[in-house]
Amino acid sequence: MNAFVINQYGPPTVLKVTKVSTPLIGPKEILIHIAASGLNPLDYKIRRGDLKSIIRFSFPKVIGTDVAGTVVGIGSQVTDLQPNDEVYAMLPVPKFGGFGEYVAVDAKYVAKKSTNLSFEEAAAIPAAGLTAWQALRKKANINPQSRVLINGASGGVGTFAIQIAKAAGAQVTGVCSAQNIPLVKDLGATEVIDYKNQDFTRIPHQYDVVFDAVGNRSFSECKPILAKKGTYVTTAVSPKVMLQSVLSSIGGKTCKIIMVKPDKEDLYQLAQFAEADMIKPIIQKIYNATEKNMVEAHQQLESGHTVGKLVMKMNFQDADD
Ligand SMILES: NC(=O)c1ccc[n+]([C@@H]2O[C@H](COP(=O)([O-])OP(=O)(O)OC[C@H]3O[C@@H](n4cnc5c(N)ncnc54)[C@H](OP(=O)(O)O)[C@@H]3O)[C@@H](O)[C@H]2O)c1
């Protein structure tokens, strides 16, 4: 099969289209013929070697976590999926394997995609959608009374977070740059703060939940806008935040870290929400599978200013550009 393979850490040009063996499936696995893969900041962090001390694997390596496609092989112990099922998944770390034509993955990570979404739309959901879902529903326990502020509201995680908070009946404030204000309002934020004009940590409002999807504002900075028993959740994982999360668990305002986990049941819930038109993936660009496009997609991701998601069709043979 064709895949984007890295043989070393480095710039986007280390991602080379290469012929590799199609993966074999174990008894608990399924083989997915990948139609489209979603891209995430994790991909460039892995590619650059930023996380090499904690996420270990050997080269050559096919990276990529988010896939949507069709089931073409079933392990002997898999009972809940069939050949031809249209599915999507977040692939576990450090196995990855999303930037190729096929991937073998444990069926416990795979859910059927929503029927009203294309493969490209479904591929945009897994890691970002699961992060937003697990942060707001599982870490912050949002409810219809929650006042929720989302920093990074126009990004991959943020665009799902607004919709998930809105669907829960919460009152949503989004933080983004001026050009993305119409999008963030359209997704369900009743108030939007342009971070270039106003520091959201200094506004005279209280929030039950502050979700820092960018990961650039600390718990201490956000404390003044957190309600008495408010929860701060961040996507930034560091020893300092981990310590704060342990210390803050004693009472009052709470600091939590989200470390997204692949989860079939959560993906099922997200598919149900998509089916009911309560969430829709926002996609900045869909690429064909060429090395040039993969470089462009990684450069865009690294800019830190992607609107919603980037998706690549895994259409190597017929990809022109
Ligand atoms: N811990 C976990 O499990 C986990 C899971 C998923 C993601 N993450 C991390 O979370 C971060 C966000 O992920 P993502 O997929 O949403 O990234 P993304 O799609 O690249 O989105 C980044 C967003 O940040 C906004 N932004 C940039 N600078 C900002 C600033 N100074 N203040 C406010 N917003 C700013 C951008 O909006 P503008 O264009 O309007 O500036 C953009 O919409 C990444 O670092 C990612 O690695 C962690």
Side-chain angles (χ1 to χ4, degrees), residues 40-42 44-45 127-128 131 151-158 175-180 195-196 200 213-216 234-237 257-261 301 304-309:
N40 293 283
L42 177 66
Y44 76 73
K45 293 176 186 178
T131 303
N151 186 32
S154 58
V157 175
V175 180
C176 62
S177 57
Q179 73 267 23
N180 294 321
Y195 68 81
K196 289 181 181 158
F200 74 85
V214 183
N216 68 345
T234 180
T235 58
V237 182
I257 305 170
I258 174 69
M259 291 175 78
V260 63
K261 292 186 182 62
L301 271 180
H305 296 288
T306 300
V307 179
K309 298 291 302 175

Side-chain angles (χ1 to χ4, degrees), residues 146-164:
S146 301
R147 294 158 297 171
V148 179
L149 180 138
I150 295 157
N151 186 32
S154 58
V157 175
T159 47
F160 286 111
I162 303 170
Q163 297 178 81
I164 289 165

Side-chain angles (χ1 to χ4, degrees), residues 275-287:
E275 200 84 50
D277 289 326
M278 289 162 90
I279 58 165
K280 60 172 181 183
I282 303 301
I283 301 177
Q284 177 174 320
K285 187 161 179 181
I286 298 174
Y287 299 89

Side-chain angles (χ1 to χ4, degrees), residues 9-10 12 15 39-51 63 99 297-304:
Y9 296 118
L15 285 148
L39 288 99
N40 293 283
L42 177 66
D43 301 324
Y44 76 73
K45 293 176 186 178
I46 295 286
R47 188 211 74 225
R48 292 196 311 208
D50 297 2
L51 306 172
I63 61 170
F99 295 154
H298 271 241
Q299 287 169 340
Q300 172 57 42
L301 271 180
E302 282 180 81
S303 77

Side-chain angles (χ1 to χ4, degrees), residues 25-63:
I25 49 171
K28 294 180 177 170
E29 290 184 321
I30 60 162
L31 187 67
I32 301 175
H33 182 207
I34 302 172
S37 296
L39 288 99
N40 293 283
L42 177 66
D43 301 324
Y44 76 73
K45 293 176 186 178
I46 295 286
R47 188 211 74 225
R48 292 196 311 208
D50 297 2
L51 306 172
K52 63 184 169 195
S53 60
I54 42 176
I55 298 178
R56 292 168 192 272
F57 53 78
S58 54
F59 297 112
K61 183 73 179 171
V62 181
I63 61 170

Side-chain angles (χ1 to χ4, degrees), residues 137 145 191 243:
R137 302 283 295 236
Q145 279 72 49
E191 285 183 52
L243 181 64

